[in-house]
């Protein structure tokens, strides 16, 4: 299994186009950038509040195209996801299995408890808001699924 170190977390923060000032912001003012290399290419990310590389609460948004898939993984802390738009599917388990997921639409909410293996995919263009306790780390169940290794 692969864990991201503080150097990779620094990369996450340094590549995020918007490190929030923890000020109010409207959706049209959010600056999106490519996701860090430990997430599959094709999505965009924006840090809305906090700093995912440090201790403390963070909030980020992921903008994903239709048919975007995040293989089974876990985090050392709980992850909380709110669907802002689109169709987001989340499931628990050691391998992405679309038969075992829950379909969430705008306003839907999901929790992946700390150390719980989970996976996700979209069926339409989707934006989710993710919040949790930093520092953020991700461990893929199958190291071959780690996009940064491809």
């Amino acid at each position: 299994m692969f864990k991201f170190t503080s150097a990779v977390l620094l990369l996450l923060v340094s590549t995020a186009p918007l490190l929030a000032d923890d000020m109010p912001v409207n959706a049209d003012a959010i600056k999106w950038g490519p996701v860090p290399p430990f997430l599959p290419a094709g999505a965009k990310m924006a840090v809305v509040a906090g700093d995912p590389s440090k201790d403390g609460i963070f909030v980020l948004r992921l903008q994903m195209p239709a048919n975007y898939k995040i293989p089974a993984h876990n985090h050392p802390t709980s992850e909380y996801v709110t669907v802002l738009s689109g169709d987001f599917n989340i499931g628990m388990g050691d391998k992405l299995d679309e038969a075992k997921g829950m379909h969430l639409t705008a306003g839907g909410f999901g929790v992946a408890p700390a150390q719980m293996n989970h996976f996700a995919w979209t069926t339409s263009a989707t934006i989710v808001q993710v919040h949790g306790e930093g520092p953020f780390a991700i461990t893929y169940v199958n190291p071959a699924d780690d996009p940064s290794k491809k």
Side-chain angles (χ1 to χ4, degrees), residues 49-133:
D51 183 340
S53 72
K54 296 180 180 174
D55 287 336
I57 301 294
F58 69 87
V59 179
L60 60 86
R61 290 189 180 176
L62 288 175
Q63 184 181 67
M64 300 164 282
N67 304 311
Y68 185 79
K69 296 181 180 185
I70 303 173
H73 63 280
N74 65 65
H75 310 282
T77 59
S78 295
E79 178 180 51
Y80 304 89
V81 179
T82 302
V83 181
L84 300 181
S85 65
D87 296 283
F88 187 73
N89 300 273
I90 187 167
M92 302 301 163
D94 296 339
K95 185 175 181 182
L96 194 150
D97 182 347
E98 294 182 12
K100 294 183 178 177
M102 170 88 180
H103 177 237
L104 300 174
T105 58
F109 178 79
V111 177
Q115 304 300 327
M116 173 71 72
N117 291 342
H118 60 284
F119 50 86
W121 74 97
T122 64
T123 53
S124 67
T126 301
I127 298 175
V128 298
Q129 183 163 290
V130 178
H131 69 276
E133 184 76 27

